[in-house]
Amino acid sequence: MLGALTAALLTAPAAGAATAPPKGGISSAVQNTFTHALVVRGWAYDPARPATSIVVEFYANGVFIGRTTADHDSPVLVSKYRIPGRHAFSFAVSRGTVPTIVARSGGVTNGARTTLATKPVSHYWPSPGDRIVTVAKRYVGTTRYVDGGSTPSTGFDCSGYTAWVYSHALVKTLPHNAEAQRRGMRLISAAAARPGDLVFYLSGGTAYHVAIYAGHHMQYAAATARDGIRYQAVWSSAVQYRTDWH
């Protein structure tokens, strides 16, 4: 972020007269097109009172979508331009696809809005593993375990949970059965496993339980009727890791 902020500040003015409008810039604007999470970073200050942090408003397609205070550390402004105070911002919101973001501010007095910057938004589609983990996290601690369950409203069993997550992550349609899921995926080593792969628990060469690998020997699983959906350690050495997306 600091490198992008430095580039955005190459034309930043020094603290000026009290009549000057608020100044600012957008260093990055990035949106995840799967979750619709939009993150905007930049800087803003008011020459009238350069040591005071100001509120920045954001607009998409002419519609107000939120505001934040530019009160993060801003070392480039302080060291290079001798503008005191904290003036960086990071704004996050979930929104439908945003083509361009506009930042405005009324400065210290919250007066007439000045357009600080306009920037096209960069969009990206996350990897299958990122999508799987994103969906899996939604149900941890909020959804119960139910034998035969396959939806959040009814509850999940282990393979109902993995099938739901893979389907809603737009990765693969899985059968509602741990062993059938195991047979439909490619065996990989534990070292090759990535977050979003499946962990199959074996007895007699057959899978009796399945979970979603989270990395670092952790998993997301429809565990037990007492625990519901949990983020937990992989708790057995008699497991296989399988995938079909890498």
Side-chain angles (χ1 to χ4, degrees):
M1 174 185 172
L2 186 56
L5 182 59
T6 301
L9 288 170
L10 289 177
T11 59
T19 57
K23 309 295 181 183
I26 298 173
S27 55
S28 66
V30 180
Q31 186 170 32
N32 180 323
T33 52
F34 178 68
T35 64
H36 303 295
L38 169 67
V39 178
V40 185
R41 293 187 172 93
W43 57 277
Y45 81 100
D46 191 334
R49 287 170 57 186
T52 302
S53 297
I54 63 174
V55 173
V56 180
E57 298 177 348
F58 301 92
Y59 296 79
N61 299 321
V63 177
F64 171 77
I65 61 171
R67 60 171 57 88
T68 193
T69 302
D71 60 358
H72 298 187
D73 286 335
S74 45
V76 175
L77 283 169
V78 173
S79 63
K80 186 175 180 63
Y81 296 98
R82 301 295 188 266
I83 299 171
R86 297 158 61 94
H87 301 295
F89 63 75
S90 179
F91 170 72
V93 68
S94 182
R95 194 81 181 179
T97 302
V98 175
T100 303
I101 194 77
V102 178
R104 297 174 180 159
S105 180
V108 172
T109 63
N110 197 32
R113 282 11 180 202
T114 295
T115 297
L116 304 175
T118 299
K119 190 174 184 66
V121 175
S122 297
H123 301 94
Y124 74 97
W125 183 251
S127 70
D130 286 344
R131 301 197 307 271
I132 292 164
V133 169
T134 293
V135 177
K137 287 179 177 179
R138 295 173 184 168
Y139 307 105
V140 173
T142 64
T143 306
R144 60 181 179 157
Y145 178 97
V146 174
D147 282 336
S150 60
T151 70
S153 59
T154 62
F156 290 119
D157 65 11
C158 66
S159 61
Y161 174 57
T162 54
W164 176 275
V165 169
Y166 263 58
S167 173
H168 286 77
L170 306 179
V171 174
K172 183 179 176 68
T173 299
L174 298 175
H176 187 174
N177 177 276
E179 175 61 14
Q181 290 181 9
R182 185 183 77 91
R183 291 182 178 275
M185 304 187 83
R186 177 171 51 84
L187 178 65
I188 57 174
S189 67
R194 301 179 187 176
D197 290 334
L198 295 185
V199 186
F200 292 94
Y201 288 73
L202 304 181
S203 177
T206 299
Y208 65 89
H209 181 57
V210 60
I212 296 168
Y213 189 54
H216 305 290
H217 206 64
M218 301 294 289
Q219 66 183 16
Y220 300 100
T224 65
R226 181 188 66 185
D227 295 332
I229 310 302
R230 290 191 61 189
Y231 173 71
Q232 60 183 189
V234 176
W235 44 263
S236 173
S237 58
V239 296
Q240 286 183 351
Y241 294 88
R242 290 184 175 247
T243 191
D244 77 335
W245 54 268
H246 68 87

